[in-house]
Amino acid sequence: MSDYKLIGKSVPRLDGYTKAVGDRMFFADLAPRCAWIGGAVRSSIAAGKIKKILKDPKFDWSKAVCITAADLPAVNYVAMIRPDYPILADKEIIFATQGIVLLAACDKKTLDEAKRAITVETEEAEPILDFENSTKNLDQYKIVRGDINAAFNKADLIVEGTYRTGYQEHAYLENHGMWAMPEGDNIILEGSMQCPYYVHNAVVQALNCPPEKVIVRQNATGGGFGGKEDYPSVLGVWTALLAKKAGKPVKFSYDREEDMLCTTKRHPSKTYHKTALKRDGTITGMEIDIILDGGAATTMSKVVLSRSILHATGCYNIENAKINARAVFTNTPPNGAFRGFGVPQSIFALERHIDQIAKVLNADPLELRIKNLMRNGHSFPYGQKMTSGVSAGLVLEDVIKRSDYRNKRVEFFEFNEKAKQKNSPKRRGIGLSLALHGGGFTGSGEDNMHTKVRVETDLSSSYIVTILASSTDMGQGAGTVLPMIAAEELGIPISQVEYPNPDTSKVPNSGPTVASRTTMYVGYVVREACKNMLARLYEAVPEAKGGAFFSGVEKYAKKHGKLFGEAVYTPVPGYTWDDETYQGTAYKGYSWLAQVVEAEVDLDTYEITPTKSTISVELGKAINPVLATGQIEGGSLQAYGWAGIEEMGLTSEGKYTTGKLSGYTIPTTLDSPRFDVALFEDPCEFGAFGAKGIGELPMDGGAPAFAAAVENATGAFAERIPITGEYLFSLLEEGKAER
Ligand code: MTE
Ligand code: MOS
């Protein structure tokens, strides 16, 4: 096949051993023991005004530092997309758990005493908790293609449906944590995060200081899933402010309850579909209306919404489309980035709706999909013409074959018929879905990012090449994949490549670790930086060509010092995106996934057990097949959890209904179906060695396939998730839907 030494090989994770034996240091191990402990007094109401903040004079305030909005040195917002996330509530309260007073003390006991010594007097207002009825627009987008009215006028049939998805908690293994240490004029921050430069920017603005005075270092991060994309900026600012004021190190670590109650969740959604069809099942037009619940501040919602609308027609060719997408404000903790970034909501609605159409037409959901599938030569509703790179058909065909979908449908039908006769509660079902995910930032995002990477040699130790980039490993494997790319390009063993956790005082900005962009785009720039390094080497030491890298480096060093290479992502000419019209090349590479989920439903307990999941993915190039497969399996299980058992509600006070993992169940390995994943490659010229993003893709299509399997097993058509036992029960009772 290929001549690559490392690319395409399942090199063991470089962090695997230390994590497996428990040697890897995380925030909780690394924060200095002498650090003061930070905490927050939070709002117990969802909306209203702060009348007074009272400090009990009986408490010895010399034992604590205390910060209110009035004490902030500069702006009162956490710098994100928009300046609307207050560092601390000033006069107005916009969500329950919002921070009002920051405190730090030498130990937990004193901190708790200080917290109790604060009283906040408030005047409550009526909060907006129901996003479906919120009129407070956060943002909106619109995409129009063709003539939707004509399509509806000429349609043989019109099918409508409304689909809803709920909150999802990231439930990373490691909670949020940050510690900060003043050092002269500087402030150093460390913690669990995805995006060191986001935290850096937020702290620089909050302290109003020169950028070089703030240093942010990522500690090994025990999972992020998008949850450590925006929120570490809040915690970073809080911790930096406290450490500055205390004049000593402060650590701020969330326990599970504070983490679950106060940090972001996946946006709940409501999506309306109206589809024009020919009698034979050809879709001639689609009207789609998406609403996302943004919560009380913008965080990432603007871009989450953008990704929702751009993926709204999924893997289908829709000639006439009218799509509206709106995010609204509510008085709930702000929702934020979560693996899939708005796409899981869109694809859930779309794929469920395709199943709905199949039901109305009494057609096979598979045949309906095949009929309307997007193929090379087709365009997305936003005008991007796909002359190549569409693999929806490829993955669908493969998954149908490997899962034995057609036979299984018959087999399960017979199984269920027998079960009914025998009065046995077990039913079996099989469901199908298609998903795609655009890798990297949307539109001109990658062009504007100017992703920069540096590689350099280290002469002091036994010849190591170090990658300097701000991308983080949060479990997805960037810490292995980027070194693989560098080692391959340089022709050296991977043991001679190092990729330290980013430190903003040392590494250039290669962007945030989000949008499944790291392997694809940052990896590409890592390779370019290595090429730049080799070019510099070969020019000075021509005999280094042909594999003598390190002896070349030695010769180079004698004359010119330490060898390095640098690269900056350069925009690709001919690809444009227009933010005004929302037309153009939204993404330069899409990955594609088809899956078949088999599930067993127990009609005594209403328990749904996914038993087998067959998945086919086209991902450009599998840099590391085992890691890629791990992403697919883990992301899919996360999607089944969201679809089936993960339930989070709001109390009438606008707080989440649970702050405990005992009250919010997520799937464990015991709840995992047997996975059978196949990877296909259609290299993308804009990604490292042809790779496209796959980190989020598996989250996108799992829920509708799960719901379809439940439908196939029981006849109950779920229009919303999670499909809890109670919901399934109500569907079956209501519709007496069981076949
Ligand atoms: N996998 C693990 N194990 N842990 C994580 O936190 N985050 C997901 C995904 N896979 C995540 C993960 C999210 S939200 C993103 S955006 C991508 O990884 C980032 O992958 P990348 O390295 O391709 O950018
Ligand atoms: Mo991922 S939601 O883009 O961090």
PDB file of all heavy atoms in Angstrom, residues 13 194 222-227 229 338-340 472 474-478 512-520 631 693-696, ligand 1:
ATOM      1  N   ARG A  13      -0.637   5.027  21.859  1.00  0.00           N
ATOM      2  CA  ARG A  13      -0.680   6.407  22.357  1.00  0.00           C
ATOM      3  C   ARG A  13       0.536   6.715  23.204  1.00  0.00           C
ATOM      4  O   ARG A  13       0.897   5.946  24.089  1.00  0.00           O
ATOM      5  CB  ARG A  13      -1.907   6.598  23.243  1.00  0.00           C
ATOM      6  CG  ARG A  13      -3.197   6.599  22.525  1.00  0.00           C
ATOM      7  CD  ARG A  13      -4.289   6.659  23.556  1.00  0.00           C
ATOM      8  NE  ARG A  13      -4.264   7.962  24.171  1.00  0.00           N
ATOM      9  CZ  ARG A  13      -5.310   8.786  24.179  1.00  0.00           C
ATOM     10  NH1 ARG A  13      -6.442   8.419  23.623  1.00  0.00           N
ATOM     11  NH2 ARG A  13      -5.235   9.955  24.749  1.00  0.00           N
ATOM     12  N   GLN A 194      -9.158  23.099  26.862  1.00  0.00           N
ATOM     13  CA  GLN A 194      -8.943  22.762  25.460  1.00  0.00           C
ATOM     14  C   GLN A 194      -8.177  23.859  24.713  1.00  0.00           C
ATOM     15  O   GLN A 194      -7.538  23.579  23.715  1.00  0.00           O
ATOM     16  CB  GLN A 194     -10.300  22.549  24.761  1.00  0.00           C
ATOM     17  CG  GLN A 194     -11.061  21.342  25.242  1.00  0.00           C
ATOM     18  CD  GLN A 194     -12.405  21.177  24.548  1.00  0.00           C
ATOM     19  OE1 GLN A 194     -13.373  20.869  25.202  1.00  0.00           O
ATOM     20  NE2 GLN A 194     -12.485  21.360  23.241  1.00  0.00           N
ATOM     21  N   GLY A 222      -8.365  15.709  31.388  1.00  0.00           N
ATOM     22  CA  GLY A 222      -9.103  14.454  31.452  1.00  0.00           C
ATOM     23  C   GLY A 222     -10.453  14.534  30.786  1.00  0.00           C
ATOM     24  O   GLY A 222     -11.492  14.347  31.410  1.00  0.00           O
ATOM     25  N   GLY A 223     -10.432  14.829  29.505  1.00  0.00           N
ATOM     26  CA  GLY A 223     -11.672  14.912  28.737  1.00  0.00           C
ATOM     27  C   GLY A 223     -12.193  16.326  28.661  1.00  0.00           C
ATOM     28  O   GLY A 223     -12.103  17.109  29.624  1.00  0.00           O
ATOM     29  N   GLY A 224     -12.698  16.682  27.504  1.00  0.00           N
ATOM     30  CA  GLY A 224     -13.244  18.017  27.302  1.00  0.00           C
ATOM     31  C   GLY A 224     -14.603  17.949  26.617  1.00  0.00           C
ATOM     32  O   GLY A 224     -15.578  18.473  27.111  1.00  0.00           O
ATOM     33  N   PHE A 225     -14.620  17.291  25.468  1.00  0.00           N
ATOM     34  CA  PHE A 225     -15.845  17.113  24.676  1.00  0.00           C
ATOM     35  C   PHE A 225     -16.526  18.438  24.354  1.00  0.00           C
ATOM     36  O   PHE A 225     -17.733  18.494  24.206  1.00  0.00           O
ATOM     37  CB  PHE A 225     -16.817  16.154  25.389  1.00  0.00           C
ATOM     38  CG  PHE A 225     -16.192  14.833  25.750  1.00  0.00           C
ATOM     39  CD1 PHE A 225     -15.951  14.482  27.067  1.00  0.00           C
ATOM     40  CD2 PHE A 225     -15.795  13.951  24.747  1.00  0.00           C
ATOM     41  CE1 PHE A 225     -15.342  13.270  27.394  1.00  0.00           C
ATOM     42  CE2 PHE A 225     -15.196  12.741  25.066  1.00  0.00           C
ATOM     43  CZ  PHE A 225     -14.961  12.401  26.388  1.00  0.00           C
ATOM     44  N   GLY A 226     -15.749  19.510  24.314  1.00  0.00           N
ATOM     45  CA  GLY A 226     -16.319  20.835  24.060  1.00  0.00           C
ATOM     46  C   GLY A 226     -16.574  21.604  25.344  1.00  0.00           C
ATOM     47  O   GLY A 226     -16.604  22.825  25.360  1.00  0.00           O
ATOM     48  N   GLY A 227     -16.724  20.877  26.457  1.00  0.00           N
ATOM     49  CA  GLY A 227     -17.034  21.522  27.732  1.00  0.00           C
ATOM     50  C   GLY A 227     -15.882  22.337  28.283  1.00  0.00           C
ATOM     51  O   GLY A 227     -16.075  23.205  29.133  1.00  0.00           O
ATOM     52  N   GLU A 229     -13.984  24.146  26.251  1.00  0.00           N
ATOM     53  CA  GLU A 229     -13.696  25.084  25.177  1.00  0.00           C
ATOM     54  C   GLU A 229     -13.945  26.514  25.646  1.00  0.00           C
ATOM     55  O   GLU A 229     -13.081  27.375  25.544  1.00  0.00           O
ATOM     56  CB  GLU A 229     -14.607  24.733  23.991  1.00  0.00           C
ATOM     57  CG  GLU A 229     -14.356  25.541  22.754  1.00  0.00           C
ATOM     58  CD  GLU A 229     -15.126  24.990  21.549  1.00  0.00           C
ATOM     59  OE1 GLU A 229     -15.399  23.775  21.492  1.00  0.00           O
ATOM     60  OE2 GLU A 229     -15.449  25.790  20.664  1.00  0.00           O
ATOM     61  N   PHE A 338     -20.322  21.453  22.569  1.00  0.00           N
ATOM     62  CA  PHE A 338     -20.356  20.033  22.931  1.00  0.00           C
ATOM     63  C   PHE A 338     -20.189  19.251  21.639  1.00  0.00           C
ATOM     64  O   PHE A 338     -20.926  19.490  20.668  1.00  0.00           O
ATOM     65  CB  PHE A 338     -21.675  19.674  23.624  1.00  0.00           C
ATOM     66  CG  PHE A 338     -21.649  18.372  24.393  1.00  0.00           C
ATOM     67  CD1 PHE A 338     -22.278  18.258  25.613  1.00  0.00           C
ATOM     68  CD2 PHE A 338     -20.976  17.251  23.887  1.00  0.00           C
ATOM     69  CE1 PHE A 338     -22.256  17.060  26.327  1.00  0.00           C
ATOM     70  CE2 PHE A 338     -20.945  16.055  24.596  1.00  0.00           C
ATOM     71  CZ  PHE A 338     -21.583  15.955  25.812  1.00  0.00           C
ATOM     72  N   ARG A 339     -19.236  18.363  21.668  1.00  0.00           N
ATOM     73  CA  ARG A 339     -18.951  17.458  20.547  1.00  0.00           C
ATOM     74  C   ARG A 339     -20.099  17.386  19.532  1.00  0.00           C
ATOM     75  O   ARG A 339     -21.204  16.959  19.885  1.00  0.00           O
ATOM     76  CB  ARG A 339     -18.678  16.067  21.109  1.00  0.00           C
ATOM     77  CG  ARG A 339     -18.059  15.096  20.148  1.00  0.00           C
ATOM     78  CD  ARG A 339     -17.788  13.780  20.850  1.00  0.00           C
ATOM     79  NE  ARG A 339     -16.740  13.026  20.191  1.00  0.00           N
ATOM     80  CZ  ARG A 339     -16.161  11.952  20.702  1.00  0.00           C
ATOM     81  NH1 ARG A 339     -16.523  11.510  21.884  1.00  0.00           N
ATOM     82  NH2 ARG A 339     -15.221  11.321  20.051  1.00  0.00           N
ATOM     83  N   GLY A 340     -19.806  17.800  18.347  1.00  0.00           N
ATOM     84  CA  GLY A 340     -20.828  17.828  17.299  1.00  0.00           C
ATOM     85  C   GLY A 340     -21.285  19.244  16.994  1.00  0.00           C
ATOM     86  O   GLY A 340     -21.634  19.568  15.879  1.00  0.00           O
ATOM     87  N   THR A 472      -4.280  20.960  22.141  1.00  0.00           N
ATOM     88  CA  THR A 472      -4.230  20.156  23.360  1.00  0.00           C
ATOM     89  C   THR A 472      -4.716  18.730  23.099  1.00  0.00           C
ATOM     90  O   THR A 472      -5.498  18.483  22.200  1.00  0.00           O
ATOM     91  CB  THR A 472      -5.132  20.776  24.445  1.00  0.00           C
ATOM     92  OG1 THR A 472      -6.454  20.919  23.919  1.00  0.00           O
ATOM     93  CG2 THR A 472      -4.623  22.131  24.878  1.00  0.00           C
ATOM     94  N   MET A 474      -6.953  16.084  24.829  1.00  0.00           N
ATOM     95  CA  MET A 474      -7.944  15.932  25.915  1.00  0.00           C
ATOM     96  C   MET A 474      -8.447  14.509  25.930  1.00  0.00           C
ATOM     97  O   MET A 474      -9.538  14.233  26.422  1.00  0.00           O
ATOM     98  CB  MET A 474      -9.084  16.916  25.718  1.00  0.00           C
ATOM     99  CG  MET A 474      -9.592  16.919  24.285  1.00  0.00           C
ATOM    100  SD  MET A 474     -10.969  18.002  24.034  1.00  0.00           S
ATOM    101  CE  MET A 474     -10.776  18.438  22.310  1.00  0.00           C
ATOM    102  N   GLY A 475      -7.651  13.629  25.347  1.00  0.00           N
ATOM    103  CA  GLY A 475      -8.052  12.234  25.273  1.00  0.00           C
ATOM    104  C   GLY A 475      -8.263  11.781  23.839  1.00  0.00           C
ATOM    105  O   GLY A 475      -8.259  10.587  23.551  1.00  0.00           O
ATOM    106  N   GLN A 476      -8.412  12.751  22.932  1.00  0.00           N
ATOM    107  CA  GLN A 476      -8.730  12.380  21.541  1.00  0.00           C
ATOM    108  C   GLN A 476      -7.495  11.917  20.781  1.00  0.00           C
ATOM    109  O   GLN A 476      -7.624  11.330  19.718  1.00  0.00           O
ATOM    110  CB  GLN A 476      -9.428  13.549  20.832  1.00  0.00           C
ATOM    111  CG  GLN A 476      -8.535  14.545  20.109  1.00  0.00           C
ATOM    112  CD  GLN A 476      -7.848  15.543  21.023  1.00  0.00           C
ATOM    113  OE1 GLN A 476      -7.532  15.243  22.158  1.00  0.00           O
ATOM    114  NE2 GLN A 476      -7.562  16.720  20.516  1.00  0.00           N
ATOM    115  N   GLY A 477      -6.303  12.208  21.313  1.00  0.00           N
ATOM    116  CA  GLY A 477      -5.111  11.634  20.716  1.00  0.00           C
ATOM    117  C   GLY A 477      -4.203  12.582  19.953  1.00  0.00           C
ATOM    118  O   GLY A 477      -3.240  12.133  19.326  1.00  0.00           O
ATOM    119  N   ALA A 478      -4.459  13.888  20.044  1.00  0.00           N
ATOM    120  CA  ALA A 478      -3.610  14.847  19.335  1.00  0.00           C
ATOM    121  C   ALA A 478      -2.144  14.715  19.766  1.00  0.00           C
ATOM    122  O   ALA A 478      -1.229  14.940  18.965  1.00  0.00           O
ATOM    123  CB  ALA A 478      -4.099  16.276  19.578  1.00  0.00           C
ATOM    124  N   PRO A 512      -7.491  27.021  18.730  1.00  0.00           N
ATOM    125  CA  PRO A 512      -8.107  26.220  19.789  1.00  0.00           C
ATOM    126  C   PRO A 512      -8.275  24.768  19.351  1.00  0.00           C
ATOM    127  O   PRO A 512      -8.277  24.479  18.158  1.00  0.00           O
ATOM    128  CB  PRO A 512      -9.469  26.883  19.957  1.00  0.00           C
ATOM    129  CG  PRO A 512      -9.791  27.437  18.607  1.00  0.00           C
ATOM    130  CD  PRO A 512      -8.476  27.838  18.006  1.00  0.00           C
ATOM    131  N   THR A 513      -8.411  23.888  20.317  1.00  0.00           N
ATOM    132  CA  THR A 513      -8.617  22.472  19.990  1.00  0.00           C
ATOM    133  C   THR A 513     -10.099  22.206  19.975  1.00  0.00           C
ATOM    134  O   THR A 513     -10.698  21.789  20.972  1.00  0.00           O
ATOM    135  CB  THR A 513      -7.867  21.591  20.995  1.00  0.00           C
ATOM    136  OG1 THR A 513      -6.539  22.086  21.050  1.00  0.00           O
ATOM    137  CG2 THR A 513      -7.839  20.143  20.540  1.00  0.00           C
ATOM    138  N   VAL A 514     -10.678  22.488  18.842  1.00  0.00           N
ATOM    139  CA  VAL A 514     -12.124  22.433  18.660  1.00  0.00           C
ATOM    140  C   VAL A 514     -12.395  22.072  17.204  1.00  0.00           C
ATOM    141  O   VAL A 514     -11.475  22.042  16.382  1.00  0.00           O
ATOM    142  CB  VAL A 514     -12.761  23.820  18.935  1.00  0.00           C
ATOM    143  CG1 VAL A 514     -12.428  24.299  20.322  1.00  0.00           C
ATOM    144  CG2 VAL A 514     -12.296  24.859  17.918  1.00  0.00           C
ATOM    145  N   ALA A 515     -13.654  21.862  16.898  1.00  0.00           N
ATOM    146  CA  ALA A 515     -14.105  21.743  15.509  1.00  0.00           C
ATOM    147  C   ALA A 515     -13.393  20.614  14.747  1.00  0.00           C
ATOM    148  O   ALA A 515     -13.260  20.691  13.522  1.00  0.00           O
ATOM    149  CB  ALA A 515     -13.937  23.071  14.770  1.00  0.00           C
ATOM    150  N   SER A 516     -12.946  19.600  15.454  1.00  0.00           N
ATOM    151  CA  SER A 516     -12.257  18.462  14.823  1.00  0.00           C
ATOM    152  C   SER A 516     -11.187  18.940  13.853  1.00  0.00           C
ATOM    153  O   SER A 516     -11.023  18.387  12.768  1.00  0.00           O
ATOM    154  CB  SER A 516     -13.271  17.571  14.080  1.00  0.00           C
ATOM    155  OG  SER A 516     -14.338  17.222  14.913  1.00  0.00           O
ATOM    156  N   ARG A 517     -10.490  19.991  14.250  1.00  0.00           N
ATOM    157  CA  ARG A 517      -9.576  20.639  13.320  1.00  0.00           C
ATOM    158  C   ARG A 517      -8.117  20.243  13.520  1.00  0.00           C
ATOM    159  O   ARG A 517      -7.264  20.572  12.698  1.00  0.00           O
ATOM    160  CB  ARG A 517      -9.707  22.168  13.421  1.00  0.00           C
ATOM    161  CG  ARG A 517      -9.302  22.767  14.792  1.00  0.00           C
ATOM    162  CD  ARG A 517      -9.558  24.270  14.856  1.00  0.00           C
ATOM    163  NE  ARG A 517      -8.713  25.003  13.941  1.00  0.00           N
ATOM    164  CZ  ARG A 517      -7.466  25.397  14.204  1.00  0.00           C
ATOM    165  NH1 ARG A 517      -6.913  25.135  15.377  1.00  0.00           N
ATOM    166  NH2 ARG A 517      -6.769  26.053  13.310  1.00  0.00           N
ATOM    167  N   THR A 518      -7.816  19.565  14.605  1.00  0.00           N
ATOM    168  CA  THR A 518      -6.414  19.429  14.977  1.00  0.00           C
ATOM    169  C   THR A 518      -5.650  18.497  14.051  1.00  0.00           C
ATOM    170  O   THR A 518      -4.614  18.879  13.494  1.00  0.00           O
ATOM    171  CB  THR A 518      -6.298  18.987  16.453  1.00  0.00           C
ATOM    172  OG1 THR A 518      -7.112  19.862  17.229  1.00  0.00           O
ATOM    173  CG2 THR A 518      -4.864  19.066  16.925  1.00  0.00           C
ATOM    174  N   THR A 519      -6.131  17.289  13.895  1.00  0.00           N
ATOM    175  CA  THR A 519      -5.422  16.366  13.009  1.00  0.00           C
ATOM    176  C   THR A 519      -5.394  16.933  11.593  1.00  0.00           C
ATOM    177  O   THR A 519      -4.347  17.003  10.950  1.00  0.00           O
ATOM    178  CB  THR A 519      -6.121  14.992  13.006  1.00  0.00           C
ATOM    179  OG1 THR A 519      -6.084  14.482  14.327  1.00  0.00           O
ATOM    180  CG2 THR A 519      -5.429  14.025  12.072  1.00  0.00           C
ATOM    181  N   MET A 520      -6.562  17.361  11.152  1.00  0.00           N
ATOM    182  CA  MET A 520      -6.706  17.823   9.776  1.00  0.00           C
ATOM    183  C   MET A 520      -5.874  19.080   9.490  1.00  0.00           C
ATOM    184  O   MET A 520      -4.972  19.059   8.655  1.00  0.00           O
ATOM    185  CB  MET A 520      -8.193  18.093   9.508  1.00  0.00           C
ATOM    186  CG  MET A 520      -8.495  18.586   8.115  1.00  0.00           C
ATOM    187  SD  MET A 520     -10.300  18.734   7.903  1.00  0.00           S
ATOM    188  CE  MET A 520     -10.345  19.336   6.217  1.00  0.00           C
ATOM    189  N   GLN A 631     -12.246   6.900  18.530  1.00  0.00           N
ATOM    190  CA  GLN A 631     -13.071   8.098  18.435  1.00  0.00           C
ATOM    191  C   GLN A 631     -14.489   7.740  17.983  1.00  0.00           C
ATOM    192  O   GLN A 631     -15.471   8.237  18.518  1.00  0.00           O
ATOM    193  CB  GLN A 631     -12.458   9.099  17.437  1.00  0.00           C
ATOM    194  CG  GLN A 631     -11.282   9.869  17.987  1.00  0.00           C
ATOM    195  CD  GLN A 631     -11.699  10.780  19.128  1.00  0.00           C
ATOM    196  OE1 GLN A 631     -12.479  11.695  18.973  1.00  0.00           O
ATOM    197  NE2 GLN A 631     -11.186  10.498  20.310  1.00  0.00           N
ATOM    198  N   GLY A 693     -11.412  15.755   9.594  1.00  0.00           N
ATOM    199  CA  GLY A 693     -11.775  15.709  11.021  1.00  0.00           C
ATOM    200  C   GLY A 693     -12.740  14.575  11.315  1.00  0.00           C
ATOM    201  O   GLY A 693     -13.670  14.328  10.550  1.00  0.00           O
ATOM    202  N   ILE A 694     -12.521  13.873  12.423  1.00  0.00           N
ATOM    203  CA  ILE A 694     -13.475  12.825  12.801  1.00  0.00           C
ATOM    204  C   ILE A 694     -13.858  12.852  14.277  1.00  0.00           C
ATOM    205  O   ILE A 694     -14.665  12.043  14.716  1.00  0.00           O
ATOM    206  CB  ILE A 694     -12.933  11.403  12.524  1.00  0.00           C
ATOM    207  CG1 ILE A 694     -11.542  11.238  13.116  1.00  0.00           C
ATOM    208  CG2 ILE A 694     -13.004  11.070  11.073  1.00  0.00           C
ATOM    209  CD1 ILE A 694     -11.321   9.835  13.594  1.00  0.00           C
ATOM    210  N   GLY A 695     -13.288  13.781  15.033  1.00  0.00           N
ATOM    211  CA  GLY A 695     -13.543  13.777  16.479  1.00  0.00           C
ATOM    212  C   GLY A 695     -15.008  13.900  16.835  1.00  0.00           C
ATOM    213  O   GLY A 695     -15.488  13.312  17.798  1.00  0.00           O
ATOM    214  N   GLU A 696     -15.741  14.703  16.083  1.00  0.00           N
ATOM    215  CA  GLU A 696     -17.138  14.973  16.439  1.00  0.00           C
ATOM    216  C   GLU A 696     -18.132  14.131  15.641  1.00  0.00           C
ATOM    217  O   GLU A 696     -19.231  13.855  16.105  1.00  0.00           O
ATOM    218  CB  GLU A 696     -17.443  16.455  16.225  1.00  0.00           C
ATOM    219  CG  GLU A 696     -16.679  17.346  17.171  1.00  0.00           C
ATOM    220  CD  GLU A 696     -16.754  18.781  16.711  1.00  0.00           C
ATOM    221  OE1 GLU A 696     -15.966  19.173  15.834  1.00  0.00           O
ATOM    222  OE2 GLU A 696     -17.631  19.498  17.206  1.00  0.00           O
TER     223      GLU A 696
HETATM  224  N1  MTE B   1     -12.241  12.362  22.469  1.00  0.00           N
HETATM  225  C1  MTE B   1     -11.860  12.236  23.762  1.00  0.00           C
HETATM  226  N2  MTE B   1     -11.361  11.071  24.179  1.00  0.00           N
HETATM  227  N3  MTE B   1     -11.980  13.271  24.644  1.00  0.00           N
HETATM  228  C2  MTE B   1     -12.501  14.477  24.255  1.00  0.00           C
HETATM  229  O1  MTE B   1     -12.596  15.400  25.063  1.00  0.00           O
HETATM  230  N4  MTE B   1     -13.434  15.824  22.399  1.00  0.00           N
HETATM  231  C3  MTE B   1     -14.165  15.797  21.121  1.00  0.00           C
HETATM  232  C4  MTE B   1     -13.469  14.884  20.112  1.00  0.00           C
HETATM  233  N5  MTE B   1     -13.075  13.646  20.721  1.00  0.00           N
HETATM  234  C5  MTE B   1     -12.911  14.643  22.880  1.00  0.00           C
HETATM  235  C6  MTE B   1     -12.746  13.531  22.013  1.00  0.00           C
HETATM  236  C7  MTE B   1     -14.331  17.117  20.528  1.00  0.00           C
HETATM  237  S1  MTE B   1     -15.533  18.097  21.153  1.00  0.00           S
HETATM  238  C8  MTE B   1     -13.564  17.574  19.485  1.00  0.00           C
HETATM  239  S2  MTE B   1     -13.822  19.090  18.802  1.00  0.00           S
HETATM  240  C9  MTE B   1     -12.542  16.728  18.872  1.00  0.00           C
HETATM  241  O2  MTE B   1     -12.313  15.543  19.619  1.00  0.00           O
HETATM  242  C10 MTE B   1     -11.220  17.428  18.695  1.00  0.00           C
HETATM  243  O3  MTE B   1     -10.422  16.612  17.930  1.00  0.00           O
HETATM  244  P1  MTE B   1      -9.230  17.119  17.036  1.00  0.00           P
HETATM  245  O4  MTE B   1      -8.003  16.687  17.724  1.00  0.00           O
HETATM  246  O5  MTE B   1      -9.382  16.489  15.715  1.00  0.00           O
HETATM  247  O6  MTE B   1      -9.349  18.597  16.922  1.00  0.00           O
END
